[in-house]
């Protein structure tokens, strides 16, 4: 069974940092692009960052570029999101995602709350 277990959320003051982790199991982790998404109350879920299989190529939403860093450790089957210089508008539930392949669909983590106070 494909599983994505998230950890690392919490409450932080503006300007602070958090690191989210997403531990994967049930599939060959190194073969899949991974991503982070977030959803604030009353808003649509939005893509935050993606990282390809080897970790060489990454992409970020303009709103987080320069502040967030996505990375992965294929030996540990884990993808990370380092969030620095956090702003109140970063407050949301954050989800990790396994992107779909040619034969298998996507998978989502359970979500973790990130709250940034002003």
């Amino acid at each position: 069974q494909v599983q994505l277990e998230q950890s690392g959320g919490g409450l932080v003051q503006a300007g602070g940092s958090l690191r989210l982790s997403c531990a994967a199991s049930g599939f060959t982790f190194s073969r899949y692009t991974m991503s982070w998404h977030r959803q604030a109350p009353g808003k649509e879920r939005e893509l935050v960052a993606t990282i390809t299989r080897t970790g060489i190529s990454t992409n970020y939403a303009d709103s987080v570029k320069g502040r967030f860093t996505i990375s992965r450790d294929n030996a540990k089957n884990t993808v990370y999101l380092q969030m620095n210089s956090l702003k109140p508008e970063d407050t949301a539930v954050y989800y990790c995602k396994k992107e779909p392949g040619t034969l298998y669909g996507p998978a989502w983590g359970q979500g973790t709350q990130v709250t940034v106070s002003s």
Side-chain angles (χ1 to χ4, degrees), residues 58-105:
T58 58
N59 287 282
Y60 299 92
D62 288 342
S63 59
V64 307
K65 193 172 298 181
R67 300 187 298 118
F68 290 11
T69 302
I70 187 171
S71 62
R72 68 192 296 162
D73 187 339
N74 286 346
K76 297 181 179 179
N77 288 356
T78 302
V79 62
Y80 306 93
L81 186 67
Q82 179 67 47
M83 304 183 292
N84 298 327
S85 301
L86 283 162
K87 304 174 180 179
E89 52 263 44
D90 296 319
T91 296
V93 177
Y94 284 72
Y95 301 88
C96 67
K97 180 190 179 186
K98 177 187 77 70
E99 296 295 335
T102 56
L103 296 177
Y104 301 99

Side-chain angles (χ1 to χ4, degrees), residues 18-19 24 28 30-32 62-63 74 90 100 103 108 115 117:
L18 286 173
R19 191 191 198 194
T28 305
S30 62
R31 294 183 179 177
Y32 286 88
D62 288 342
S63 59
N74 286 346
D90 296 319
L103 296 177
W108 293 87
T115 302
S117 65

Side-chain angles (χ1 to χ4, degrees), residues 1-83:
Q1 182 181 358
V2 172
Q3 289 189 304
L4 300 174
E5 185 67 31
Q6 299 180 219
S7 61
L11 174 65
V12 66
Q13 289 189 331
S17 298
L18 286 173
R19 191 191 198 194
L20 305 182
S21 298
C22 177
S25 61
F27 65 98
T28 305
F29 179 76
S30 62
R31 294 183 179 177
Y32 286 88
T33 292
M34 301 293 294
S35 61
W36 288 93
H37 301 244
R38 68 186 182 186
Q39 188 166 22
K43 300 187 70 175
E44 296 293 316
R45 189 171 298 186
E46 64 174 340
L47 176 65
V48 175
T50 61
I51 186 166
T52 54
R53 292 178 295 174
T54 64
I56 296 298
S57 181
T58 58
N59 287 282
Y60 299 92
D62 288 342
S63 59
V64 307
K65 193 172 298 181
R67 300 187 298 118
F68 290 11
T69 302
I70 187 171
S71 62
R72 68 192 296 162
D73 187 339
N74 286 346
K76 297 181 179 179
N77 288 356
T78 302
V79 62
Y80 306 93
L81 186 67
Q82 179 67 47
M83 304 183 292

